[in-house]
Coordinates of all heavy atoms in Angstrom, one line a residue:
M27 N -17.9 28.7 -26.8 CA -17.8 27.5 -26.0 C -16.8 26.6 -26.6 O -16.1 25.9 -25.9 CB -19.2 26.8 -26.0 CG -19.3 25.6 -25.2 SD -19.1 26.0 -23.5 CE -19.3 24.4 -22.7
R28 N -16.6 26.6 -27.9 CA -15.6 25.7 -28.6 C -14.2 26.2 -28.2 O -13.3 25.4 -28.0 CB -15.9 25.7 -30.1 CG -15.0 24.8 -30.8 CD -15.4 24.7 -32.3 NE -14.5 23.9 -33.0 CZ -14.8 22.6 -33.4 NH1 -16.0 22.2 -33.2 NH2 -14.0 21.9 -34.1
I29 N -14.0 27.5 -28.1 CA -12.7 28.0 -27.7 C -12.4 27.6 -26.3 O -11.2 27.2 -26.0 CB -12.7 29.6 -27.9 CG1 -12.8 29.9 -29.4 CG2 -11.4 30.1 -27.3 CD1 -12.9 31.4 -29.6
F30 N -13.4 27.7 -25.4 CA -13.1 27.3 -24.0 C -12.8 25.9 -23.9 O -11.9 25.5 -23.2 CB -14.4 27.6 -23.2 CG -14.2 27.2 -21.7 CD1 -13.4 27.9 -20.8 CD2 -14.9 26.0 -21.3 CE1 -13.3 27.4 -19.5 CE2 -14.8 25.6 -20.0 CZ -14.0 26.3 -19.1
L31 N -13.4 25.0 -24.7 CA -13.1 23.6 -24.7 C -11.7 23.3 -25.2 O -11.0 22.5 -24.7 CB -14.2 22.8 -25.5 CG -14.1 21.3 -25.5 CD1 -14.3 20.8 -24.0 CD2 -15.1 20.7 -26.4
G32 N -11.3 24.1 -26.2 CA -10.0 24.0 -26.8 C -8.9 24.4 -25.8 O -7.9 23.8 -25.6
I33 N -9.2 25.4 -25.0 CA -8.3 25.9 -24.0 C -8.1 24.8 -22.9 O -7.0 24.5 -22.4 CB -8.7 27.2 -23.4 CG1 -8.5 28.3 -24.4 CG2 -7.9 27.6 -22.1 CD1 -9.1 29.7 -24.0
L34 N -9.3 24.3 -22.5 CA -9.3 23.2 -21.4 C -8.5 22.0 -21.9 O -7.7 21.5 -21.1 CB -10.7 22.9 -21.1 CG -10.9 22.0 -19.8 CD1 -10.4 22.8 -18.6 CD2 -12.4 21.7 -19.7
V35 N -8.7 21.6 -23.1 CA -8.0 20.4 -23.6 C -6.5 20.7 -23.7 O -5.6 19.9 -23.4 CB -8.5 20.0 -25.0 CG1 -7.6 19.0 -25.7 CG2 -9.9 19.4 -24.9
G36 N -6.2 22.0 -24.1 CA -4.8 22.4 -24.2 C -4.1 22.4 -22.8 O -2.9 22.0 -22.7
L37 N -4.8 22.8 -21.8 CA -4.3 22.9 -20.4 C -4.0 21.5 -19.9 O -2.9 21.2 -19.4 CB -5.3 23.5 -19.5 CG -5.4 25.1 -19.6 CD1 -6.6 25.5 -18.7 CD2 -4.1 25.7 -19.2
I38 N -4.9 20.6 -20.1 CA -4.8 19.2 -19.6 C -3.7 18.5 -20.4 O -2.8 17.8 -19.9 CB -6.1 18.4 -19.6 CG1 -7.1 19.1 -18.6 CG2 -5.9 17.0 -19.3 CD1 -8.5 18.6 -18.7
G39 N -3.8 18.6 -21.7 CA -2.9 17.9 -22.6 C -1.4 18.4 -22.4 O -0.5 17.7 -22.5
G40 N -1.3 19.7 -22.3 CA 0.0 20.4 -22.1 C 0.7 20.0 -20.8 O 1.9 19.7 -20.8
F41 N -0.1 19.8 -19.8 CA 0.4 19.4 -18.5 C 0.9 18.0 -18.6 O 2.0 17.7 -18.1 CB -0.6 19.6 -17.4 CG -0.1 19.4 -16.0 CD1 0.7 20.4 -15.4 CD2 -0.3 18.2 -15.3 CE1 1.3 20.2 -14.2 CE2 0.2 18.1 -14.0 CZ 1.0 19.0 -13.5
V42 N 0.1 17.1 -19.2 CA 0.5 15.7 -19.3 C 1.8 15.6 -20.2 O 2.7 14.8 -19.9 CB -0.6 14.8 -19.8 CG1 -0.2 13.4 -20.2 CG2 -1.8 14.8 -18.8
L43 N 1.8 16.4 -21.3 CA 2.9 16.4 -22.2 C 4.2 16.9 -21.5 O 5.3 16.3 -21.7 CB 2.6 17.3 -23.4 CG 3.8 17.5 -24.4 CD1 4.0 16.2 -25.1 CD2 3.4 18.6 -25.4
G44 N 4.0 17.9 -20.6 CA 5.2 18.4 -19.9 C 5.8 17.4 -18.9 O 7.0 17.3 -18.8
I45 N 4.9 16.7 -18.2 CA 5.4 15.6 -17.3 C 6.1 14.5 -18.1 O 7.1 14.1 -17.6 CB 4.2 15.1 -16.5 CG1 3.7 16.1 -15.5 CG2 4.6 13.8 -15.7 CD1 2.4 15.8 -14.8
A46 N 5.5 14.1 -19.2 CA 6.1 13.0 -20.0 C 7.5 13.5 -20.5 O 8.5 12.7 -20.5 CB 5.2 12.6 -21.1
L47 N 7.5 14.7 -21.0 CA 8.7 15.2 -21.6 C 9.8 15.4 -20.5 O 11.0 15.1 -20.8 CB 8.5 16.6 -22.3 CG 9.5 17.2 -23.2 CD1 9.9 16.2 -24.3 CD2 9.1 18.5 -23.7
S48 N 9.4 15.8 -19.4 CA 10.3 16.0 -18.2 C 10.9 14.6 -17.8 O 12.1 14.5 -17.6 CB 9.7 16.7 -17.1 OG 10.5 16.8 -16.0
S49 N 10.1 13.6 -17.8 CA 10.5 12.3 -17.4 C 11.5 11.7 -18.5 O 12.5 11.1 -18.2 CB 9.4 11.3 -17.3 OG 8.5 11.7 -16.2
F50 N 11.2 12.0 -19.8 CA 12.1 11.5 -20.8 C 13.4 12.2 -20.8 O 14.5 11.6 -20.9 CB 11.4 11.8 -22.2 CG 12.2 11.4 -23.4 CD1 12.4 10.1 -23.7 CD2 12.8 12.4 -24.1 CE1 13.2 9.8 -24.8 CE2 13.6 12.1 -25.2 CZ 13.8 10.7 -25.5
I51 N 13.4 13.5 -20.5 CA 14.7 14.2 -20.4 C 15.5 13.7 -19.2 O 16.7 13.6 -19.3 CB 14.4 15.8 -20.3 CG1 13.9 16.3 -21.6 CG2 15.7 16.5 -19.9 CD1 13.4 17.7 -21.6
G52 N 14.8 13.4 -18.1 CA 15.5 12.9 -16.9 C 16.1 11.6 -17.2 O 17.3 11.3 -16.8
V53 N 15.4 10.7 -17.9 CA 15.9 9.3 -18.2 C 17.1 9.5 -19.2 O 18.1 8.8 -19.0 CB 14.8 8.4 -18.8 CG1 15.4 7.2 -19.4 CG2 13.8 8.1 -17.7
L54 N 17.0 10.3 -20.2 CA 18.0 10.5 -21.1 C 19.3 11.1 -20.4 O 20.4 10.7 -20.8 CB 17.6 11.5 -22.2 CG 18.4 11.6 -23.5 CD1 18.4 10.3 -24.2 CD2 17.9 12.7 -24.4
G55 N 19.1 12.0 -19.5 CA 20.2 12.5 -18.7 C 20.9 11.4 -17.9 O 22.1 11.4 -17.8
M56 N 20.1 10.5 -17.3 CA 20.7 9.4 -16.6 C 21.5 8.5 -17.5 O 22.6 8.0 -17.1 CB 19.6 8.6 -15.8 CG 19.0 9.3 -14.6 SD 20.2 9.6 -13.3 CE 20.6 8.0 -12.8
I57 N 21.0 8.2 -18.7 CA 21.7 7.4 -19.6 C 23.0 8.0 -20.1 O 24.1 7.3 -20.1 CB 20.8 7.0 -20.8 CG1 19.7 6.1 -20.3 CG2 21.6 6.3 -21.9 CD1 18.6 5.8 -21.4
L58 N 23.0 9.3 -20.4 CA 24.1 9.9 -21.0 C 25.1 10.4 -20.0 O 26.3 10.3 -20.2 CB 23.7 11.0 -21.9 CG 22.8 10.7 -23.2 CD1 22.4 11.9 -23.9 CD2 23.6 9.7 -24.1
F59 N 24.7 11.0 -18.9 CA 25.5 11.7 -18.0 C 25.6 11.2 -16.6 O 26.3 11.7 -15.7 CB 25.1 13.2 -17.9 CG 25.1 13.9 -19.3 CD1 23.9 14.4 -19.7 CD2 26.2 14.0 -20.1 CE1 23.8 15.0 -21.0 CE2 26.1 14.6 -21.3 CZ 24.9 15.1 -21.8
N60 N 24.8 10.1 -16.3 CA 24.7 9.5 -15.0 C 24.2 10.4 -13.9 O 24.6 10.3 -12.8 CB 26.1 8.8 -14.6 CG 26.4 7.6 -15.4 OD1 25.5 6.9 -15.8 ND2 27.7 7.4 -15.6
E61 N 23.5 11.4 -14.3 CA 22.8 12.3 -13.3 C 21.5 12.8 -14.0 O 21.5 13.1 -15.2 CB 23.7 13.4 -12.9 CG 24.1 14.4 -14.0 CD 25.1 15.5 -13.5 OE1 26.1 15.1 -12.8 OE2 24.7 16.6 -13.7
P62 N 20.5 13.0 -13.2 CA 19.2 13.5 -13.8 C 19.4 15.0 -14.2 O 19.9 15.8 -13.5 CB 18.2 13.3 -12.7 CG 19.0 13.3 -11.4 CD 20.4 12.7 -11.8
I63 N 18.9 15.3 -15.4 CA 18.9 16.6 -15.8 C 17.4 17.0 -16.1 O 16.6 16.1 -16.3 CB 19.7 16.9 -17.1 CG1 19.3 16.0 -18.2 CG2 21.2 16.7 -16.7 CD1 20.0 16.3 -19.5
G64 N 17.1 18.2 -16.3 CA 15.7 18.6 -16.6 C 15.6 20.1 -16.6 O 16.5 20.9 -16.4
I65 N 14.4 20.5 -17.0 CA 14.0 21.9 -17.0 C 13.0 22.2 -15.9 O 11.9 21.5 -15.9 CB 13.4 22.3 -18.4 CG1 14.4 22.0 -19.5 CG2 13.0 23.7 -18.5 CD1 13.9 22.1 -20.9
K66 N 13.3 23.1 -15.0 CA 12.4 23.4 -13.9 C 11.1 24.0 -14.5 O 11.2 24.9 -15.4 CB 13.1 24.3 -13.0 CG 12.4 24.4 -11.6 CD 13.3 25.2 -10.7 CE 12.7 25.1 -9.3 NZ 13.6 25.8 -8.3
Y67 N 10.0 23.6 -14.0 CA 8.6 24.1 -14.4 C 8.3 23.8 -15.9 O 7.5 24.5 -16.5 CB 8.5 25.6 -14.1 CG 8.8 25.9 -12.7 CD1 9.8 26.8 -12.4 CD2 8.1 25.4 -11.6 CE1 10.1 27.2 -11.1 CE2 8.4 25.8 -10.3 CZ 9.4 26.6 -10.1 OH 9.7 27.0 -8.8
L68 N 8.9 22.7 -16.5 CA 8.6 22.4 -17.9 C 7.1 22.1 -18.1 O 6.6 22.6 -19.1 CB 9.4 21.2 -18.3 CG 9.2 20.7 -19.7 CD1 9.7 21.8 -20.7 CD2 10.0 19.5 -20.0
S69 N 6.5 21.4 -17.2 CA 5.1 21.1 -17.4 C 4.2 22.4 -17.4 O 3.2 22.4 -18.1 CB 4.6 20.1 -16.3 OG 4.8 20.7 -15.0
Y70 N 4.6 23.4 -16.6 CA 3.8 24.6 -16.6 C 4.0 25.4 -17.9 O 3.1 26.0 -18.4 CB 4.2 25.5 -15.4 CG 3.9 24.8 -14.1 CD1 4.9 24.6 -13.2 CD2 2.6 24.5 -13.8 CE1 4.6 24.0 -12.0 CE2 2.3 23.9 -12.6 CZ 3.3 23.6 -11.7 OH 3.0 23.0 -10.5
F71 N 5.2 25.4 -18.4 CA 5.5 26.0 -19.7 C 4.7 25.4 -20.8 O 4.1 26.1 -21.7 CB 7.0 26.0 -20.1 CG 7.8 26.8 -19.1 CD1 9.1 26.4 -18.7 CD2 7.4 28.1 -18.6 CE1 9.9 27.1 -17.9 CE2 8.2 28.8 -17.8 CZ 9.4 28.3 -17.4
T72 N 4.7 24.0 -20.9 CA 4.0 23.4 -21.9 C 2.5 23.5 -21.8 O 1.8 23.6 -22.8 CB 4.3 21.9 -22.0 OG1 4.1 21.3 -20.7 CG2 5.8 21.6 -22.4
T73 N 2.0 23.7 -20.5 CA 0.6 23.9 -20.3 C 0.2 25.2 -21.0 O -0.8 25.3 -21.7 CB 0.3 23.9 -18.8 OG1 0.6 22.7 -18.3 CG2 -1.2 24.3 -18.6
I74 N 0.9 26.3 -20.7 CA 0.6 27.6 -21.3 C 0.7 27.6 -22.8 O -0.2 28.1 -23.5 CB 1.5 28.7 -20.7 CG1 1.2 28.8 -19.2 CG2 1.4 30.0 -21.4 CD1 2.3 29.6 -18.4
I75 N 1.8 27.0 -23.3 CA 1.9 26.9 -24.8 C 0.8 26.2 -25.4 O 0.2 26.7 -26.4 CB 3.3 26.3 -25.1 CG1 4.4 27.3 -24.7 CG2 3.4 26.0 -26.6 CD1 5.8 26.7 -24.7
C76 N 0.4 25.0 -24.9 CA -0.6 24.2 -25.5 C -2.0 24.9 -25.4 O -2.8 24.8 -26.2 CB -0.7 22.8 -24.9 SG 0.7 21.8 -25.4
A77 N -2.2 25.6 -24.3 CA -3.5 26.3 -24.1 C -3.7 27.4 -25.1 O -4.8 27.8 -25.4 CB -3.6 26.9 -22.6
V78 N -2.6 27.9 -25.6 CA -2.7 29.0 -26.7 C -2.7 28.3 -28.1 O -3.5 28.8 -28.9 CB -1.4 29.9 -26.6 CG1 -1.4 30.9 -27.7 CG2 -1.5 30.7 -25.2
I79 N -1.9 27.3 -28.3 CA -1.8 26.7 -29.6 C -3.0 25.9 -30.0 O -3.5 26.0 -31.2 CB -0.5 25.9 -29.7 CG1 0.7 26.9 -29.7 CG2 -0.5 25.1 -31.0 CD1 2.0 26.2 -29.7
V80 N -3.6 25.1 -29.1 CA -4.7 24.2 -29.5 C -5.9 25.0 -30.0 O -6.5 24.6 -31.1 CB -5.1 23.3 -28.3 CG1 -6.4 22.6 -28.5 CG2 -4.0 22.3 -28.0
P81 N -6.4 26.1 -29.4 CA -7.5 26.8 -30.0 C -7.2 27.5 -31.3 O -8.0 27.6 -32.2 CB -7.8 27.9 -28.9 CG -7.3 27.4 -27.7 CD -6.1 26.6 -28.0
I82 N -5.9 27.9 -31.5 CA -5.5 28.5 -32.8 C -5.6 27.4 -33.9 O -6.2 27.7 -35.0 CB -4.1 29.1 -32.7 CG1 -4.1 30.3 -31.8 CG2 -3.6 29.5 -34.1 CD1 -2.8 30.9 -31.5
I83 N -5.1 26.2 -33.6 CA -5.1 25.2 -34.6 C -6.6 24.7 -34.9 O -7.0 24.5 -36.0 CB -4.3 24.0 -34.1 CG1 -2.8 24.3 -34.2 CG2 -4.5 22.7 -35.0 CD1 -1.9 23.3 -33.6
D84 N -7.4 24.7 -33.8 CA -8.8 24.3 -34.0 C -9.5 25.3 -34.8 O -10.4 24.9 -35.7 CB -9.4 24.2 -32.6 CG -10.9 23.7 -32.7 OD1 -11.1 22.7 -33.4 OD2 -11.7 24.4 -32.1
K85 N -9.3 26.6 -34.6 CA -9.9 27.6 -35.4 C -9.5 27.5 -36.9 O -10.4 27.7 -37.8 CB -9.6 29.0 -34.9 CG -10.4 30.1 -35.5 CD -10.2 31.4 -34.7 CE -10.9 32.5 -35.5 NZ -12.3 32.6 -35.4
K86 N -8.3 27.3 -37.2 CA -7.8 27.1 -38.5 C -8.4 25.9 -39.2 O -8.8 25.9 -40.4 CB -6.3 27.0 -38.6 CG -5.6 28.4 -38.4 CD -4.1 28.3 -38.5 CE -3.5 29.6 -38.3 NZ -2.0 29.6 -38.5
Q87 N -8.6 24.8 -38.4 CA -9.1 23.6 -39.0 C -10.6 23.8 -39.3 O -11.1 23.2 -40.3 CB -9.0 22.4 -38.0 CG -7.6 21.9 -37.8 CD -7.0 21.3 -39.1 OE1 -7.8 20.6 -39.8 NE2 -5.8 21.4 -39.4
S88 N -11.3 24.5 -38.4 CA -12.8 24.8 -38.7 C -13.0 25.7 -39.9 O -14.0 25.6 -40.5 CB -13.4 25.3 -37.4 OG -13.0 26.6 -37.1
E89 N -12.0 26.6 -40.1 CA -12.1 27.5 -41.3 C -11.9 26.8 -42.6 O -12.5 27.1 -43.6 CB -11.1 28.6 -41.2 CG -11.5 29.6 -40.1 CD -10.4 30.7 -39.9 OE1 -9.4 30.6 -40.6 OE2 -10.6 31.6 -39.1
I90 N -11.1 25.7 -42.6 CA -10.8 24.9 -43.8 C -12.1 24.2 -44.2 O -12.4 24.1 -45.4 CB -9.6 24.0 -43.6 CG1 -8.4 24.8 -43.4 CG2 -9.5 23.0 -44.7 CD1 -7.1 24.0 -43.0
K91 N -12.8 23.6 -43.3 CA -14.0 22.8 -43.6 C -15.0 23.7 -44.2 O -15.6 24.2 -44.9 CB -14.6 22.2 -42.4 CG -13.7 21.2 -41.8 CD -14.3 20.6 -40.5 CE -13.4 19.6 -39.9 NZ -13.9 19.1 -38.7

């Protein structure tokens, strides 16, 4: 159950992180190059990455205790 919760938190957090990072990259592109730049599907990539990394980090943290 703890792993499932970690995956769920990773999915939601990764999606929000991807949207924020995409917006930041777009604003930075407007400032530097006067045109929006970005990575297509960035929020989906960060969702997958965080859904894998969060349970791994959680498992390592629980082993330390």
Side-chain angles (χ1 to χ4, degrees):
M27 184 67 178
R28 187 171 175 108
I29 293 174
F30 176 73
L31 187 61
I33 291 171
L34 191 63
V35 168
L37 287 171
I38 295 169
F41 189 74
V42 171
L43 176 69
I45 291 172
L47 191 58
S48 179
S49 297
F50 178 74
I51 292 171
V53 168
L54 193 63
M56 287 297 292
I57 291 172
L58 295 177
F59 305 117
N60 289 330
E61 63 182 53
I63 59 172
I65 301 171
K66 196 171 187 176
Y67 306 119
L68 179 65
S69 59
Y70 298 118
F71 294 140
T72 57
T73 299
I74 294 169
I75 291 169
C76 288
V78 172
I79 290 177
V80 168
I82 292 171
I83 292 174
D84 182 49
K85 186 166 174 79
K86 286 185 181 182
Q87 290 293 326
S88 65
E89 289 175 357
I90 292 174
K91 293 180 183 177

